[in-house]
């Protein structure tokens, strides 16, 4: 990751910063760290799920990788691969696609795990802890390496495993019980043109 030389004292100071580019940054210890593009397979999986959820909840409530989520700890922000927002967020995000800690949390965040041990730890440990702390009711960890989907539900402020789904399993979503989605459909989508 490329470090950009600029130091921020507060998250509000960071929010008002504009470097004139479309780059995404994580704020870590007051410094900007550029986020590089996801692997193509991850993008394909996230796009497939974006389409499925857009048909389920409507396009206005589904946000791709560009949604910024303020979190506690370091880094101070995350960019989930896919987020299902609340109806009230649509207007709140009109000017800046950032969900602040002072706002209601999104209903669901999904991360597609990138290759490498550091990325696995980030999605399975660090982000899990941060999303739990934000009070996000549901978190999916989608793992292309093992072709599994771990669904976590927030119960009494702690993520509890709903299931670790694979193959022909139907993904069970506590927030979106109307889904009729097999794991195999998600991983088949990565091979479709």
């Amino acid at each position: 990751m490329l470090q950009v030389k600029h130091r921020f004292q507060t998250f509000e100071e960071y929010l008002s910063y504009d470097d004139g580019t479309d780059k995404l940054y994580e704020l870590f210890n007051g410094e900007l760290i550029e986020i590089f593009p996801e692997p193509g397979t991850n993008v394909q999986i996230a796009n497939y799920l974006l389409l499925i959820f857009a048909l389920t909840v409507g396009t206005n409530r589904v946000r791709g990788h560009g949604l910024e989520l303020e979190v506690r700890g370091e880094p101070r922000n995350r960019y989930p691969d896919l987020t299902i927002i609340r109806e009230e967020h649509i207007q709140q995000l009109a000017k800046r696609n950032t969900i602040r800690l002072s706002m209601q949390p999104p209903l669901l965040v999904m991360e597609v795990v990138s290759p490498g041990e550091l990325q696995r730890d980030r999605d399975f440990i660090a982000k899990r802890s941060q999303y739990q702390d934000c009070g996000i009711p549901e978190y999916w960890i989608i793992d292309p390496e093992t072709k599994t989907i771990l669904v976590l539900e927030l119960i009494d402020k702690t993520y509890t495993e709903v299931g670790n789904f694979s193959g022909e399993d139907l993904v069970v979503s506590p927030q979106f019980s109307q889904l009729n989605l097999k794991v195999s459909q998600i991983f088949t989508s990565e091979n479709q043109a």
Side-chain angles (χ1 to χ4, degrees):
M1 292 184 182
L2 174 68
Q3 293 223 340
V4 176
K5 303 280 187 208
H6 195 61
R7 196 127 177 88
F8 299 94
Q9 301 303 314
T10 66
F11 196 73
E12 285 69 24
E13 184 183 337
Y14 155 75
L15 288 175
S16 66
Y17 177 74
D18 182 1
D19 68 355
T21 71
D22 290 335
K23 294 178 182 178
L24 297 179
Y25 299 101
E26 285 185 341
L27 181 62
F28 191 87
N29 286 330
E31 294 182 12
L32 297 180
I33 299 174
E34 184 179 350
I35 297 175
F36 292 104
E38 293 281 328
T41 299
N42 291 24
V43 173
Q44 287 175 279
I45 291 169
N47 284 347
Y48 179 77
L49 288 166
L50 185 142
L51 290 171
I52 296 297
F53 275 91
L55 293 171
T56 304
V57 300
T59 57
N60 290 337
R61 296 204 27 229
V62 182
R63 299 292 166 106
H65 189 262
L67 178 118
E68 179 179 36
L69 187 61
E70 180 185 13
V71 295
R72 290 179 187 85
E74 298 295 342
R76 303 252 327 151
N77 59 336
R78 294 290 188 181
Y79 293 91
D81 291 316
L82 194 65
T83 305
I84 310 305
I85 62 174
R86 298 171 187 269
E87 191 70 36
E88 68 198 59
H89 289 140
I90 296 168
Q91 186 62 34
Q92 293 172 331
L93 301 177
K95 290 189 178 182
R96 183 175 175 119
N97 203 27
T98 301
I99 295 179
R100 302 290 313 271
L101 287 169
S102 59
M103 299 164 67
Q104 285 285 342
L107 294 174
L108 167 63
V109 293
M110 297 179 215
E111 295 287 357
V112 183
V113 181
S114 294
E117 198 59 37
L118 180 64
Q119 288 76 5
R120 295 185 72 74
D121 287 348
R122 186 179 63 201
D123 290 338
F124 281 95
I125 299 168
K127 289 182 183 180
R128 178 179 175 160
S129 176
Q130 287 177 315
Y131 295 161
Q132 176 180 282
D133 184 57
C134 288
I136 298 169
E138 191 170 335
Y139 176 34
W140 290 17
I141 304 173
I142 302 156
D143 190 346
E145 185 178 307
T146 61
K147 296 194 181 320
T148 59
I149 299 174
L150 175 62
V151 176
L152 302 165
E153 180 182 20
L154 194 65
I155 298 175
D156 296 327
K157 299 183 180 182
T158 302
Y159 277 136
T160 302
E161 186 175 313
V162 173
N164 196 8
F165 304 101
S166 63
E168 296 302 308
D169 294 342
L170 283 174
V171 179
V172 176
S173 169
Q175 297 286 316
F176 303 97
S177 58
Q178 69 273 34
L179 280 180
N180 186 18
L181 180 64
K182 290 183 180 178
V183 174
S184 59
Q185 291 173 280
I186 295 166
F187 294 108
T188 299
S189 72
E190 72 186 70
N191 299 320
Q192 297 173 353

